[in-house]
Amino acid sequence: MAADAAQVAPDVYKVLFENDRVRLIEARLQPGVTTAMHHHRDNLVYNLADGTVAFTDESGGTVEVPLAAGETMWFPAVDHSTHNTGSTEVRSLLFELK
């Protein structure tokens, strides 16, 4: 398993709240920036801004995902890197379950 997102990329992932059941992370990824491989627990994402990201998993498979402000998405636990392929800052809230 890859290291925790907030440890790998503290300039991108900021822990806003944490207790024994949930962790709330703010993600802010500038255009063109790519994070190192990192881990997320099962999580619900709420997008604060429109954008486009590419997620690359440990096998090298990449999927590009358009993000819409106000959209919510569910992701099972994952190890991946993230690349902002758009022209705007990607801003999201991640609610990670423990």
Side-chain angles (χ1 to χ4, degrees):
M1 177 179 352
D4 180 75
Q7 294 172 336
V8 170
D11 55 322
V12 175
Y13 300 103
K14 178 182 176 186
V15 177
L16 300 177
F17 174 84
E18 184 168 12
N19 66 19
D20 62 332
R21 301 184 68 188
V22 67
R23 181 166 76 157
L24 173 59
I25 298 173
E26 177 186 35
R28 297 179 73 116
L29 190 62
Q30 297 298 319
V33 171
T34 301
T35 66
M37 190 68 58
H38 58 273
H39 178 77
H40 291 285
R41 299 174 180 112
D42 290 345
N43 66 91
L44 177 72
V45 176
Y46 179 79
N47 297 313
L48 299 170
D50 294 342
T52 306
V53 295
F55 296 117
T56 302
D57 65 24
E58 291 179 305
S59 70
T62 299
V63 60
E64 189 162 273
V65 178
L67 307 174
E71 177 183 41
T72 56
M73 302 177 293
W74 172 257
F75 292 101
V78 65
D79 290 347
H80 69 193
S81 65
T82 306
H83 175 71
N84 182 343
T85 57
S87 60
T88 60
E89 179 185 43
V90 169
R91 294 178 35 239
S92 300
L93 295 175
L94 289 74
F95 299 85
E96 290 187 341
L97 304 180
K98 292 186 175 181

